[in-house]
């Protein structure tokens, strides 16, 4: 089976840095994706990792360790608009398996 | 470019009734996905099409759910008859095929409430 774990909820302060972790156990691996989902809206793509290491994209960075089945999404200089759910998804051949998402609350 | 379109945005039905959802993917996208997202959970893949052929429908409850993608463009997902546990947001997504890595583009979803 496929198992993807994320913390349910996190709270951070505007301007700070937050790290959202994702651990996975899947029968195959072709990439790890991060999506942002605001309440009542569709998920939007943030980043993906195929190889080990850090991928940086503006205020967002994502890290992958395939040997540990571990990824994290790093958000810098938090803004109020970053309050959303963050979904970790593992691609296995043509399928995407999603975690339950981490709800991030950004406080002033 | 226009995004993934879905309709209706909201639907309320009684259990045992039927309902259909429509999706129009981004032009030129070969792959189309239907997901079910129950409140507080991540999206769960129901069915995946490549052009007008089914790639995966292993998690589709085939006794009550059906989907088609005629002419490899628009798609329809139907539930007949609906159960209370079908209350969820139904997301449609599409993606191009560009090498091995591609992202999915999601539509706004249809929020279904079964009473």
């Amino acid at each position: 089976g496929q198992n993807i774990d994320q913390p349910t909820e996190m709270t951070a302060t505007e301007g700070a840095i937050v790290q959202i972790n994702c651990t996975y156990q899947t029968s195959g691996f072709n990439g790890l994706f991060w999506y942002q989902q605001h309440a009542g809206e569709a998920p939007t793509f943030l980043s993906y990792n195929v190889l080990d290491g850090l991928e940086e994209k503006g205020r967002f960075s994502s890290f992958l360790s395939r040997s540990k089945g571990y990824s994290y999404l790093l958000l810098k200089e938090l803004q109020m608009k970053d309050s959303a759910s963050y979904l970790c998804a593992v691609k296995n051949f043509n399928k995407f398996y999603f975690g339950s998402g981490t709800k991030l609350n950004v406080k002033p | 470019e226009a995004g993934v379109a879905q309709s209706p945005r909201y639907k309320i039905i009684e259990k045992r009734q039927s309902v259909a959802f429509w999706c129009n993917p981004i032009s030129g996208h070969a792959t189309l996905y239907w997901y079910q997202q129950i409140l507080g959970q991540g999206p769960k893949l129901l069915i995946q099409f490549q052009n007008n052929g089914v790639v995966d429908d292993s998690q589709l409850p085939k006794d009550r759910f059906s989907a088609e993608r005629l002419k490899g463009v628009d798609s329809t997902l139907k539930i007949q008859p609906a159960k209370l546990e079908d209350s969820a947001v139904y997301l449609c997504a599409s993606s191009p095929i560009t090498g091995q890595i591609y992202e999915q583009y999601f539509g706004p979803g249809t929020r279904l409430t079964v009473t």
Side-chain angles (χ1 to χ4, degrees), chain A residues 8 30-31 33 35 37 39-46 48-50 57 85 87 89 91 93-101, chain B residues 9-10 33 35 37 40-45 48 50 55-56 58-59 91 95 97 100-109 111:
Chain A
T8 303
N30 295 105
F33 292 70
Y35 287 82
Q37 186 174 29
E41 297 183 12
T44 54
F45 170 76
L46 288 177
Y48 72 82
N49 297 71
V50 179
K57 214 174 177 181
S85 287
L87 300 167
K91 181 170 175 280
F93 292 102
N94 284 322
K95 286 187 184 180
F96 287 81
Y97 295 93
F98 284 83
S100 295
Chain B
R9 292 295 312 276
Y10 304 92
Y33 308 81
Y35 288 90
Q37 187 174 25
Q41 299 182 17
K44 182 184 88 170
L45 179 68
Q48 178 180 341
Q50 179 81 17
V55 172
D56 188 304
S58 57
Q59 297 190 95
L91 294 165
S95 64
I97 300 293
Q100 293 295 314
I101 299 297
Y102 55 88
E103 64 202 66
Q104 298 172 84
Y105 297 83
F106 285 86
R111 183 176 297 276

Side-chain angles (χ1 to χ4, degrees), chain A residues 4-108:
Chain A
I4 301 170
D5 288 317
Q6 306 178 235
T8 303
E9 192 164 357
M10 300 178 70
T11 300
T13 305
E14 192 175 16
I17 300 173
V18 70
Q19 178 175 311
I20 301 174
N21 296 325
C22 172
T23 58
Y24 64 90
Q25 290 177 305
T26 55
S27 56
F29 181 86
N30 295 105
L32 189 138
F33 292 70
W34 285 96
Y35 287 82
Q36 180 190 60
Q37 186 174 29
H38 285 101
E41 297 183 12
T44 54
F45 170 76
L46 288 177
S47 70
Y48 72 82
N49 297 71
V50 179
L51 301 176
D52 291 353
L54 189 68
E55 293 285 341
E56 297 190 74
K57 214 174 177 181
R59 294 191 298 114
F60 297 84
S61 303
S62 57
F63 171 84
L64 175 67
S65 169
R66 288 171 296 170
S67 62
K68 295 181 180 178
Y70 169 69
S71 173
Y72 68 71
L73 180 70
L74 194 71
L75 292 79
K76 304 175 189 174
E77 302 169 15
L78 277 174
Q79 302 175 8
M80 297 301 293
K81 67 178 182 180
D82 297 330
S83 292
S85 287
Y86 291 85
L87 300 167
C88 169
V90 172
K91 181 170 175 280
N92 183 2
F93 292 102
N94 284 322
K95 286 187 184 180
F96 287 81
Y97 295 93
F98 284 83
S100 295
T102 299
K103 185 179 179 184
L104 175 64
N105 303 301
V106 180
K107 303 185 304 181

Side-chain angles (χ1 to χ4, degrees), chain B residues 4-30:
Chain B
V4 177
Q6 289 188 247
S7 67
R9 292 295 312 276
Y10 304 92
K11 190 74 177 178
I12 301 174
I13 61 173
E14 294 181 353
K15 59 183 180 184
R16 291 187 289 273
Q17 285 187 322
S18 302
V19 65
F21 313 128
W22 173 82
C23 172
N24 181 235
I26 293 173
S27 177
H29 280 196

